[in-house]
Amino acid sequence: MEYTVQKLGQLAGISTRTLRYYDEIGLLKPARINSSGYRIYGQWEVDRLQQILFYRELDVGLDEIKAIVDSPEFNARRALSRHREQLLAKRRQLDALIANIDLTLAYQKGMTDMSDKQKFEGFKQQLIDDNEAKYGEEIRAKYGDEQVDKSNAKLKGMTKEQYEEIERLSEDIHATLAQAFATGDPAGELAQKAADLHRRWLTFYWDRYSKEAHAGIAQMYVEDERFKAYYDKDQPGVAEFLREAIRIYTGIDA
């Protein structure tokens, strides 16, 4: 079955303008251009568009999607399984937030008590579910179920102040890393500051810190296309730069 850009747009529920833009950025090229100059899409393009729209539904950026689906390691069947896990996690997140809203409304009406900890439980569970859906398979294979479960329990037990500190650290890491990357020196003061901020950020999640694990996760940032796309979304090469900075910081060549 073949489709023109208009028919494919109607089939997928997206605009022809969007499909033309996907063509322009190399995300979804037509199978061919016919003699009349129309874009023609075949089965391969239909299946690729389905994957793109799944990732868009999960709020993944277009540059990151392109990096994922263009990767030689990309596997459509495995990707569909991950999409299902992520959508189920998204549903659990929404259920947790709705329950939190209902409790907050009841609290504001004077119908029940609500602790400060309860006010943020929905958001923390959302973060846990999101991390599990995106990276759970790899992290559990690398570090084991016990370590991951301890990390999740630690996150759920965080105070409001600790949660806010995590957010600040995350922003500081990216700002410092961008400045360090501009210097081109992973051993420099800025790069080592970024590595130290990253260590502090990890300690909020990990039951205990080790240099070996820190260097190992930095290596995973380069090997896993999703982590790599996340760090390279502003400038290509940032993931490798962070890995080198962490290797120097820990003294371990993972």
Side-chain angles (χ1 to χ4, degrees), residues 145-161:
D145 290 338
E146 182 180 358
Q147 184 61 41
V148 175
D149 290 341
K150 284 182 178 179
S151 175
N152 289 341
K154 188 172 183 180
L155 177 57
K156 288 191 74 171
M158 282 182 189
T159 65
K160 174 177 175 289
E161 290 73 22

Side-chain angles (χ1 to χ4, degrees), residues 162-225:
Q162 288 173 320
Y163 188 79
E164 290 174 346
E165 178 64 15
I166 287 176
E167 296 294 304
R168 284 194 294 270
L169 275 172
S170 181
E171 292 175 3
D172 288 346
I173 289 167
H174 286 279
T176 306
L177 186 58
Q179 294 173 354
F181 185 72
T183 71
D185 183 9
E189 182 179 351
L190 281 171
Q192 292 305 293
K193 179 182 177 183
D196 185 62
L197 287 168
H198 190 264
R199 175 196 60 79
R200 289 170 55 194
W201 177 79
L202 284 174
T203 59
F204 279 92
Y205 296 96
W206 288 2
D207 184 51
R208 64 181 181 84
Y209 172 83
S210 77
K211 291 181 177 180
E212 291 79 9
H214 194 182
I217 204 166
Q219 179 64 30
M220 189 173 67
Y221 288 167
V222 175
E223 294 176 349
D224 189 295
E225 70 271 13

Side-chain angles (χ1 to χ4, degrees), residues 75-89:
N75 180 289
R77 185 174 296 176
R78 186 165 61 242
L80 285 171
S81 295
R82 284 176 175 166
H83 292 323
R84 186 177 188 278
E85 292 170 4
Q86 289 173 310
L87 289 169
L88 286 171

Side-chain angles (χ1 to χ4, degrees), residues 9 15 18 23 63 96 132 134 137 166 191-192 199 220 230:
S15 69
T18 296
D23 183 6
D63 289 342
E132 279 284 353
K134 287 182 179 178
E137 182 180 345
I166 287 176
Q192 292 305 293
R199 175 196 60 79
M220 189 173 67
Y230 172 75

